[in-house]
Amino acid sequence: MDGPLIEIAGLTKTFGAVTAIQDVSFVAEPGRVTGFLGPNGAGKSTTLRTLLGLVSPTAGEARIGGRPYPDLDRPAALVGAQLETAFHPGRTALDHLRTVAPLVGASDDRCDEVIATVGLTEAARRRVGGFSMGMRQRLGLATALLGDPSALVLDEPANGLDPAGITWMRGFVRAFAAHGGTVLLSSHLLGEVEQTVDDVVIIARGRVRHASSLAELRDLAHPAASLASPDAARLARLADALPGATLTSPHDLTVPQLTPAELGAHAFAAGVEVHRLTETGETLEQVFLRLTEEAA
Ligand SMILES: Nc1ncnc2c1ncn2[C@@H]1O[C@H](COP(=O)(O)OP(=O)(O)O)[C@@H](O)[C@H]1O
Ligand SMILES: [Mg+2]
């Protein structure tokens, strides 16, 4: 499988007075999982719906394999989508798939196949109305897979999944990308997809705030270190000597921009007895929050 490049270029969408997204540009590469991350209302679904031809852009363009969705010859063979889908509650999972199958040129056998792929075989003949959120997510993914696509666009696929479901979803999209497929998935929680994505695009209030590999995002974390000592007098002198240092108590010192090793070396040189030395820099989640809160 050789997945298509997904390319969003200068995309803007306004709904009346509301600008949902403004000048959004990024790419999702084949063989990689791209996480499209941002708080609720950031513009993720609007971007993905525009990519899939469900919303017409006010300005800019979204392309899959070089062409806008409405111009694709056999879209279901190129891209499978899982959006916030409403299923007919009275239909069984299999009925749902068999209703969609003819629209994408898929056979009844293919319906059984995708049901098995997402682990819903046991529930195939149960009504969707009684499904949990996690089961609905799986059925949504099965629907996306019907046309055997080489790209997947998934809107909040981890939403409502239990930890076992998240682990399963992670394994599935990782394998899909490992075979050359393109995966673009959204989430409002970085922690939920941290172990799933290779690349991150962060959106807030309709604008892209950051795009890079996950490794490069980690490098943006501000370091800091903390130290506990029984010797309040020497600790206070050390605090005065280190820029930005704060005593959070007479026995606890926190210093920005230092690693634990660097702070330990300063303490050693100053003759400060150390009882505890900890890394207290920004977590990845804190970096994500900072980027979404900063003004553009
Ligand atoms: N059909 C619509 N009509 C009016 N406003 C909309 C519509 N769709 C989305 N919006 C608005 O656009 C903004 C982005 O929404 P959305 O793309 O759903 O964000 P997200 O998926 O990141 O939570 C929100 O302010 C939302 O209220
Ligand atoms: Mg959304």
Side-chain angles (χ1 to χ4, degrees):
M1 178 163 49
D2 195 12
L5 184 73
I6 291 177
E7 203 178 1
I8 313 283
L11 208 59
T12 296
K13 178 65 188 181
T14 56
F15 296 102
V18 177
T19 301
I21 52 170
Q22 185 151 21
D23 199 21
V24 166
S25 301
F26 66 88
V27 297
E29 310 254 7
R32 298 179 72 83
V33 180
T34 301
F36 190 34
L37 309 169
N40 290 329
K44 303 180 296 297
S45 295
T46 301
T47 304
L48 299 183
R49 293 173 66 79
T50 309
L51 174 65
L52 296 162
L54 299 168
V55 163
S56 58
T58 305
E61 204 171 58
R63 295 181 285 266
I64 304 175
R67 288 197 279 169
Y69 190 95
D71 298 350
L72 298 175
D73 290 333
R74 292 180 56 230
L78 194 63
V79 59
Q82 177 193 15
L83 301 176
E84 294 142 302
T85 349
F87 300 107
H88 190 301
R91 278 196 192 129
T92 69
L94 201 53
D95 288 343
H96 165 75
L97 289 171
R98 288 189 174 163
T99 309
V100 181
L103 309 174
V104 303
S107 65
D108 282 359
D109 284 352
R110 178 68 186 156
C111 295
D112 295 333
E113 220 171 272
V114 295
I115 279 262
T117 303
V118 302
L120 278 181
T121 304
E122 304 278 286
R125 291 188 159 76
R126 281 168 49 191
R127 287 181 208 282
V128 178
F131 275 22
S132 68
M133 183 73 177
M135 292 166 83
R136 285 164 201 260
Q137 290 283 29
R138 286 176 190 247
L139 182 56
L141 183 59
T143 314
L145 292 171
L146 273 177
D148 197 15
S150 46
L152 284 176
V153 175
L154 312 174
D155 198 5
E156 305 260 4
N159 226 1
L161 292 184
D162 57 15
I166 289 187
T167 303
W168 174 83
M169 175 68 73
R170 174 179 308 147
F172 181 83
V173 300
R174 294 270 10 129
F176 190 88
H179 286 94
T182 310
V183 183
L184 174 60
L185 59 84
S186 76
S187 179
H188 61 286
L189 295 170
L190 173 57
E192 214 169 52
V193 298
E194 190 181 329
Q195 295 173 61
T196 307
V197 302
D198 302 296
D199 296 318
V200 290
V201 176
I202 296 176
I203 184 169
R205 279 164 280 138
R207 289 172 175 273
V208 172
R209 307 296 165 137
H210 177 86
S212 75
S213 67
L214 184 67
E216 287 167 305
L217 183 68
R218 280 188 211 286
D219 287 343
L220 293 183
H222 294 323
S226 298
L227 178 151
S229 171
D231 187 340
R234 288 192 186 190
L235 196 62
R237 280 199 293 280
L238 181 61
D240 284 341
L242 296 174
T246 25
L247 285 165
T248 54
S249 89
H251 297 285
D252 293 279
L253 178 72
T254 295
V255 189
Q257 307 302 333
L258 287 189
T259 64
E262 290 164 341
L263 180 56
H266 283 294
F268 184 70
V272 173
E273 184 180 340
V274 175
H275 281 194
R276 191 170 10 88
L277 187 56
T278 32
E279 151 81 73
T280 50
E282 274 182 316
T283 62
L284 196 59
E285 199 69 38
Q286 286 168 332
V287 175
F288 171 56
L289 283 177
R290 172 163 58 82
L291 292 173
T292 61
E293 283 161 8
E294 275 171 4

